[in-house]
Amino acid sequence: MTLSIDIETFSSVDLSRSGVYKYAESPDFEILLFGYSVDGGPVRLVDFTDGEELPPEIVSALLDDKSPKWAFNCSFERTCIARYLRDKDKLAEGEFLRDFKDPNAVCCGIGRDVFNAGANAKFAPSIDEELQPTMTARGPGAVSQGYIVRRLIPLECCRLQGFPDWWCADLGTENPTEEEMAFWRNVFETHRKVMGTAKKPKSDNQIRKWLDDPHTDGAEYKMWGNGVALPCVYYVMMGIAHFSKES
């Protein structure tokens, strides 16, 4: 069964600022309308706001890795539908949907240069079987499985760097202390002077709003790209500790 899908959704999270993952994780997120077509047939519309439910065979197809799912901006549909299925206890936490998956296909890591520029990549192409090229602060690389190519999601970057899944969770500070405010005033002011891109300092209201929800997918991608793999650091530090004891 091949599905063509289009959905309409609601979330109080700003999609353009926070990205699809935060958008779909919001407590008030919901899918309002679910349109689909099976094998190029007539379009069907399921109105969740009117209490309608997806037919069981459609749910099965969504969960079936061998059933192709087509959608414009499919990353958005995949993430939102995964949240919907988790709420229905149809998909385990931490599992992801795929547009198409061949269990026997070899997974290939694709460097950001090739993912963005293809044959026009400025540097040597990086496409490796079962190996992800080095991440960069400019953005994530991609992964290919079968005929599907998609960019890495923030959680995958987190795991590739050896960090626990919760590393970027609950970063907000709802009621910052004056000491915290003073610290961040200094941080933003230093950044403003160094970068020279802003004419006036951030207001306290702007800082409080940022502290309440500082996470964005773009910032997380940059962090992983600028960071180091935790297992490598652990290995080096363990070696230093070992030989320090011997001396």
Side-chain angles (χ1 to χ4, degrees), residues 44-56:
R44 308 293 183 186
L45 181 65
V46 179
D47 186 349
F48 290 158
T49 66
D50 199 32
E52 297 179 5
E53 296 283 345
L54 286 176

Side-chain angles (χ1 to χ4, degrees), residues 101-235:
K101 175 187 175 183
D102 179 356
N104 298 316
V106 175
C107 185
C108 294
I110 304 175
R112 178 177 171 80
D113 52 349
V114 178
F115 182 48
N116 280 0
N120 296 319
K122 186 175 181 180
F123 303 104
S126 303
I127 303 177
D128 301 293
E129 291 186 4
E130 302 298 336
L131 184 66
Q132 182 61 35
T134 301
M135 288 183 285
T136 67
R138 297 183 64 186
V143 64
S144 168
Q145 191 166 24
Y147 295 103
I148 300 301
V149 177
R150 62 173 179 82
R151 72 175 183 174
L152 295 171
I153 65 173
L155 179 59
E156 289 170 323
C157 294
C158 170
R159 291 173 176 174
L160 283 169
Q161 293 290 59
F163 284 76
D165 290 358
W166 49 260
W167 193 257
C168 288
D170 301 321
L171 298 178
T173 303
E174 187 175 353
N175 297 304
T177 64
E178 181 54 38
E179 183 179 359
E180 289 173 318
M181 288 295 295
F183 172 81
W184 286 108
R185 285 190 202 104
N186 183 57
V187 169
F188 280 114
E189 182 61 11
T190 301
H191 180 269
R192 184 182 72 87
K193 291 179 178 178
V194 170
M195 300 302 294
T197 54
K199 293 183 178 180
K200 59 182 182 179
K202 282 190 179 293
S203 68
D204 281 5
N205 284 339
Q206 288 175 315
I207 294 174
R208 285 193 175 91
K209 183 178 180 180
W210 179 81
L211 285 173
D212 186 54
D213 184 19
H215 180 274
T216 64
D217 287 350
E220 187 173 346
Y221 280 131
K222 184 173 290 187
M223 180 188 72
W224 297 129
N226 276 329
V228 294
L230 187 60
C232 297
V233 175
Y234 181 78
Y235 178 81

Side-chain angles (χ1 to χ4, degrees), residues 53-54 59-60 63 80-95 97:
E53 296 283 345
L54 286 176
V59 174
S60 297
L63 294 168
C80 292
I81 293 171
R83 162 65 193 274
Y84 166 80
L85 292 174
R86 289 189 191 103
D87 289 347
K88 295 290 184 180
D89 295 325
K90 300 292 186 181
L91 189 69
E93 197 67 36
E95 289 186 342
L97 296 177

Side-chain angles (χ1 to χ4, degrees), residues 5-18:
I5 301 169
D6 188 28
I7 60 175
E8 296 297 330
T9 63
F10 169 81
S11 173
S12 60
V13 173
D14 186 339
L15 178 61
S16 62
R17 180 176 183 272
S18 299

Side-chain angles (χ1 to χ4, degrees), residues 4 6 33-38 41-47 54-55 58:
S4 297
D6 188 28
L33 300 172
F34 193 112
Y36 68 91
S37 169
V38 177
V43 175
R44 308 293 183 186
L45 181 65
V46 179
D47 186 349
L54 286 176
I58 300 302

